[in-house]
Amino acid sequence: MTPVRFGLNDKEYKYARQLAFQAAHGTWINPYGDEAPLIDRSAKLLSGGNADAAAERELLTTLLKLACYSPEHEWEAPTLTGKPTTFAIQTLEKITAFNA
């Protein structure tokens, strides 16, 4: 059986991590504004430096919220990931419900 992370199946979890990958490389997160810390947090998560599951869940939830509801980012996530905004919303709802 495939492990589920934060209530997400493999496809959803990989999608959320793909958002982190794109954030770490500065392809969709503003490195000069309030989002700048997301770049460092994403890079740390991907390098294996973030062993704290709660911190990972919080970061992925933040990235999903941006992908779903931020006017600056809701068009970027589908372009970068190949998944529609509706997939981001579904994934955000699952991670939120699982951790409520």
Side-chain angles (χ1 to χ4, degrees), residues 24-99:
H25 290 87
T27 54
W28 73 297
I29 298 300
N30 181 358
Y32 305 108
D34 294 341
E35 298 170 358
L38 294 175
I39 294 172
D40 292 334
R41 290 173 56 204
S42 294
K44 183 177 178 185
L45 169 67
L46 296 170
S47 71
N50 185 5
D52 181 3
E56 179 181 3
R57 184 186 71 234
E58 191 276 327
L59 172 62
L60 296 180
T61 300
T62 299
L63 294 172
L64 286 165
K65 286 179 183 176
L66 288 174
C68 294
Y69 302 117
S70 171
E72 295 86 21
H73 299 303
E74 64 186 352
W75 65 271
E76 291 173 313
T79 301
L80 294 169
T81 65
K83 301 274 190 267
T85 302
T86 54
F87 188 82
I89 292 169
Q90 169 192 331
T91 303
L92 175 61
E93 287 173 354
K94 280 185 76 175
I95 198 171
T96 302
F98 183 83
N99 296 291

